Amino acid sequence: MSGCDSQKADGSKNSILLSTNSIDEGLPRELSQLSLSSASSTEEFFCDKGHADAVLKNIFNYFQSHKLCDVTLIAGGCRITAHKVVLSSSSEYFAAMFTGSLKEAQMDTTEITLERVDPQALQDLVNYCYTGTIELREETVEVLLSTASLLQLNSVTKACCAFLNKQLDPCNCLGIAMFAEQQSCLDLHKSALKYTYQHFMQVVKHQEFLALTEEQLANLLKSDDLNVVTEENVFESLMTWVQHDSANRENYLSTLLKLIKLPLLSSEYLIDKVELACGNVPECQPLIMEAVKWHLLPERRSLLFSHRTRPRTSTIGRLLAIGGMDGYKGASNMEMYDPRTNTWTPFMRMGARRLQFGVAVLQNKLIVVGGRDGLKTLNTVECFDLSSLSWSVLAPMSTHRHGLGVAVLGEGANSPVYAVGGHDGWIYLNSVERWDACSRTWTMVSPMTGARSTCGVAALRGKLYAVGGRDGGACLRSVECYDPATNYWTNCAPMTRRRGGVSVCAAGGFLYAMGGHEAPANTVGGRLGCVERYDPVADTWVLLARLSYGRDAIGSCLLGDRIVAVGGYDGVQYLCVVEVYDSESNCWRKLAPLSTGRAGAAVVAVPPPKNLF
């Protein structure tokens, strides 16, 4: 017993001591002490994994039999008795009501009337508080969501949003978007709007679109993410909405027409359709005139710039990055960039491996010109049809050329393609050839005043520009301009920096020169990150925001109204970086990178034919 007393004095558990007293009576002292020591050092925890479920099930049985309930919820004449502790444990709304400073928290039994609450939805949600399960049905999910949102049953709200997200369809996406906005379900609202933009061409065929208010339609037409083939689709959707109730909606026409990108419609469409439908409305006439000026005065487009001249993302086409050096034997594959998803995906392969070649786009055809295959300089020309996804061979150039520049003068399917300068494997070239799509032949035109390879070539305002490059000695600052009307090259103001391997792009009435190298291309360092812009009217160059990395052999082109710079070589590695220039803020912003680094890739914008995209 003295051993028991000492254990008690030490604070040992009574249950263990009581259970050992009867066993140890009559045992020798040593055995008794050993037994007690072993018992006191052993602890066992029992866990009934079904306990919580069993308790909740019992509480649910009490709920069903109206036992121990301490609150009655009243909605639409329906009375639901429940337990405060269960409701508070499930709902932040009830937790604040029953555990806060509200009068309901001070009452033993409480009747609470919930105004404008659907009684069936309330019944289902109270059942959920006890069971954790609830049935979601298409015809009742919106009422359930709004009630769950009121009661702050966040898990049910999320489940309802996920359910509605799966139900999105062109016939209901506008309604779901508006409902989600009313309920502050931001993710569902964003998802429904994204679906609406993506399926816009189908959405406009349904009653929900025709039932939009003027303000709701305006918010829709403002988006540059509408997935349309051309801006004509957007104008036609507006006119469909107006004509659905023309007596009341024609008053909104001038306000909504401001949201249509009229300058981006063809001149024929402006006269034949827009003028015919809207020309008799005085407030619409300045908008139509603005669009006509855009077509008649291309040299003044920089002054006419507005949100109406910025194309919607779906209408600007796609980017193709073709070939180039990738650190191995040279890439012969293409990658395609989708600006709507900001992603690059693999595309077709080239007909043959080429490096330092040029590419021109003639509507749905890519003209791939010259280059080299290893050490062999090529004069061959291939054509890739974007509609049929097939390659064909065109007549070869008169001269073998790599490091050449290629550009198209004009916008038609039969516009001439120019191959400028380059290197024939022996000497630097100043010669220039022109491809005639009608006769399908190459002819020589007036040569440049000086030889240049890896120069930047671009067409601007009906003239051809050759910028920088190398002539066998140092890299060049010089710039030349070719006028096809006179068949003559003239010198322009030189760049601020010497640039071999320079990339040049025309945009908004200006030329942009990006990157390049000043030292010989085979040396480490000397790669340029600076960018400068040429104004052909003032004949001057100005420096702009720098690229994120100094590099040469950048692929660049105009996508919509913005310049995209793709890849390049920094003297150590081939880069996969892709950047877009924002002229309004004078800064470069990164886009999704290429899947693999490449330099000297031909980068072109191509239209989105239906059977391709």
Side-chain angles (χ1 to χ4, degrees):
M1 294 298 295
S2 61
C4 293
D5 292 338
S6 65
Q7 289 293 329
K8 285 183 179 181
D10 293 338
S12 300
K13 295 181 180 179
N14 288 335
S15 60
I16 298 177
L17 295 177
L18 290 172
S19 64
T20 56
N21 282 343
S22 60
I23 298 173
D24 291 344
E25 283 184 4
L27 291 178
R29 179 179 179 85
E30 294 80 3
L31 290 178
S32 175
Q33 290 282 24
L34 178 60
S35 175
L36 286 172
S37 176
S38 300
S40 63
S41 64
T42 301
E43 294 182 352
E44 182 176 315
F45 294 93
F46 169 70
C47 177
D48 183 354
K49 294 182 179 180
H51 176 75
D53 290 338
V55 169
L56 192 58
K57 183 177 180 180
N58 289 333
I59 295 175
F60 181 57
N61 290 333
Y62 291 138
F63 163 70
Q64 289 183 309
S65 58
H66 307 290
K67 294 180 179 178
L68 303 178
C69 296
D70 53 3
V71 65
T72 300
L73 306 178
I74 304 172
C78 176
R79 299 173 64 86
I80 305 170
T81 57
H83 303 87
K84 290 181 180 180
V85 66
V86 175
L87 299 181
S88 299
S89 299
S90 305
S91 161
E92 295 180 17
Y93 174 88
F94 286 121
M97 178 180 291
F98 298 139
T99 64
S101 58
L102 298 179
K103 63 179 182 179
E104 290 85 355
Q106 312 304 320
M107 302 170 62
D108 294 332
T109 59
T110 309
E111 285 193 354
I112 299 171
T113 301
L114 300 174
E115 302 290 347
R116 296 185 297 276
V117 171
D118 182 83
Q120 185 58 53
L122 180 62
Q123 180 70 63
D124 292 341
L125 290 169
V126 171
N127 284 342
Y128 170 81
C129 292
Y130 286 87
T131 64
T133 61
I134 193 166
E135 182 182 8
L136 304 179
R137 299 192 305 273
E138 187 174 350
E139 59 271 19
T140 59
V141 66
E142 291 189 1
V143 175
L144 200 62
L145 191 155
S146 60
T147 309
S149 180
L150 170 67
L151 301 181
Q152 295 177 272
L153 285 163
N154 298 328
S155 56
V156 178
T157 301
K158 290 180 181 179
C160 291
C161 287
F163 181 87
L164 283 171
N165 193 59
K166 295 176 183 177
Q167 305 302 313
L168 286 171
D169 186 86
C171 69
N172 66 18
C173 55
L174 284 170
I176 290 177
M178 289 184 282
F179 174 74
E181 185 177 25
Q182 293 169 359
Q183 300 300 320
S184 299
C185 298
L186 300 183
D187 289 341
L188 178 60
H189 179 247
K190 181 179 179 181
S191 179
L193 280 183
K194 183 178 179 180
Y195 185 95
T196 301
Y197 299 152
Q198 174 65 29
H199 299 89
F200 180 76
M201 297 295 291
Q202 291 77 43
V203 171
V204 299
K205 300 175 183 178
H206 293 278
Q207 186 62 34
E208 278 192 351
F209 176 79
L210 297 175
L212 291 174
T213 66
E214 176 265 342
E215 183 180 1
Q216 291 167 343
L217 179 61
N219 289 332
L220 189 60
L221 298 181
K222 285 177 184 177
S223 175
D224 283 344
D225 292 326
L226 297 182
N227 187 21
V228 294
V229 178
T230 70
E231 191 65 19
E232 295 176 7
N233 302 134
V234 187
F235 174 77
E236 290 165 2
S237 71
L238 167 60
M239 296 311 301
T240 299
W241 181 86
V242 170
Q243 292 164 7
H244 182 69
D245 185 10
S246 57
N248 296 311
R249 293 179 174 179
E250 283 185 350
N251 295 331
Y252 301 124
L253 186 56
S254 60
T255 301
L256 295 172
L257 194 64
K258 294 178 182 179
L259 305 176
I260 307 299
K261 300 176 184 293
L262 295 182
L264 305 184
L265 298 171
S266 68
S267 54
E268 294 81 7
Y269 192 90
L270 282 169
I271 302 302
D272 296 340
K273 298 294 180 67
V274 181
E275 174 70 23
L276 183 63
C278 310
N280 61 338
V281 180
E283 294 82 1
C284 294
Q285 292 173 0
L287 297 172
I288 298 173
M289 183 56 65
E290 175 193 57
V292 171
K293 288 180 179 179
W294 181 266
H295 288 278
L296 294 180
L297 304 171
E299 69 277 5
R300 299 186 186 179
R301 287 181 177 177
S302 59
L303 302 176
L304 298 172
F305 179 82
S306 71
H307 69 89
R308 285 184 291 276
T309 63
R310 171 159 291 164
R312 300 184 198 269
T313 308
S314 63
T315 65
I316 63 179
R318 306 289 188 270
L319 275 187
L320 278 183
I322 308 167
M325 287 295 296
D326 62 356
Y328 299 97
K329 294 182 179 180
S332 59
N333 65 321
M334 306 183 199
E335 288 187 67
M336 179 177 290
Y337 176 75
D338 184 346
R340 294 195 71 249
T341 59
N342 188 32
T343 55
W344 289 89
T345 55
F347 191 50
M348 303 287 292
R349 301 192 71 83
M350 298 177 65
R353 186 169 73 99
R354 294 175 187 259
L355 305 172
Q356 294 185 296
F357 58 96
V359 172
V361 180
L362 289 177
Q363 289 192 336
N364 282 329
K365 293 181 171 57
L366 301 180
I367 311 299
V368 182
V369 183
R372 60 184 177 86
D373 180 2
L375 298 177
K376 181 182 178 181
T377 300
L378 307 172
N379 68 341
T380 55
V381 181
E382 294 179 284
C383 175
F384 180 69
D385 190 316
L386 290 165
S387 299
S388 63
L389 304 182
S390 60
W391 287 93
S392 60
V393 177
L394 301 181
M397 295 183 292
S398 303
T399 306
H400 294 70
R401 304 172 187 270
H402 71 260
L404 72 163
V406 173
V408 181
L409 271 181
E411 298 180 355
N414 295 321
S415 299
V417 177
Y418 289 82
V420 180
H423 196 283
D424 67 0
W426 300 96
I427 61 171
Y428 291 86
L429 303 170
N430 68 345
S431 60
V432 180
E433 299 185 54
R434 178 175 61 204
W435 165 257
D436 188 313
C438 295
S439 65
R440 301 177 68 83
T441 58
W442 290 91
T443 57
M444 303 296 292
V445 299
S446 177
M448 295 180 289
T449 59
R452 60 181 80 223
S453 178
T454 68
C455 61
V457 174
L460 178 64
R461 296 181 179 178
K463 295 181 180 180
L464 199 65
Y465 289 83
V467 179
R470 300 189 63 207
D471 64 359
C475 297
L476 304 172
R477 293 176 56 206
S478 61
V479 180
E480 298 185 60
C481 174
Y482 175 74
D483 187 342
T486 62
N487 190 29
Y488 190 70
W489 289 86
T490 56
N491 289 320
C492 304
M495 295 181 290
T496 61
R497 302 288 292 268
R498 298 179 180 273
R499 297 176 187 266
V502 62
S503 184
V504 172
C505 186
F510 302 100
L511 285 181
Y512 293 78
M514 296 158 276
H517 57 263
E518 290 183 301
N522 58 357
T523 60
V524 176
R527 266 66 186 185
L528 302 174
C530 58
V531 178
E532 48 189 313
R533 183 183 67 198
Y534 175 70
D535 183 344
V537 176
D539 191 31
T540 56
W541 289 88
V542 295
L543 288 169
L544 302 176
R546 295 174 59 86
L547 297 161
S548 59
Y549 300 93
R551 57 195 191 272
D552 62 2
I554 299 169
S556 70
C557 78
L558 190 66
L559 183 64
D561 64 343
R562 297 196 171 181
I563 297 170
V564 181
V566 179
Y569 182 65
D570 66 1
V572 177
Q573 60 183 339
Y574 299 98
L575 304 175
C576 59
V577 64
V578 179
E579 300 179 84
V580 62
Y581 180 66
D582 186 339
S583 59
E584 296 177 32
S585 58
N586 185 32
C587 69
W588 290 89
R589 177 170 51 85
K590 287 187 178 180
L591 301 179
L594 294 162
S595 63
T596 184
R598 63 174 81 201
V603 177
V604 294
V606 296
K610 294 180 181 179
N611 63 338
L612 180 58
F613 306 113

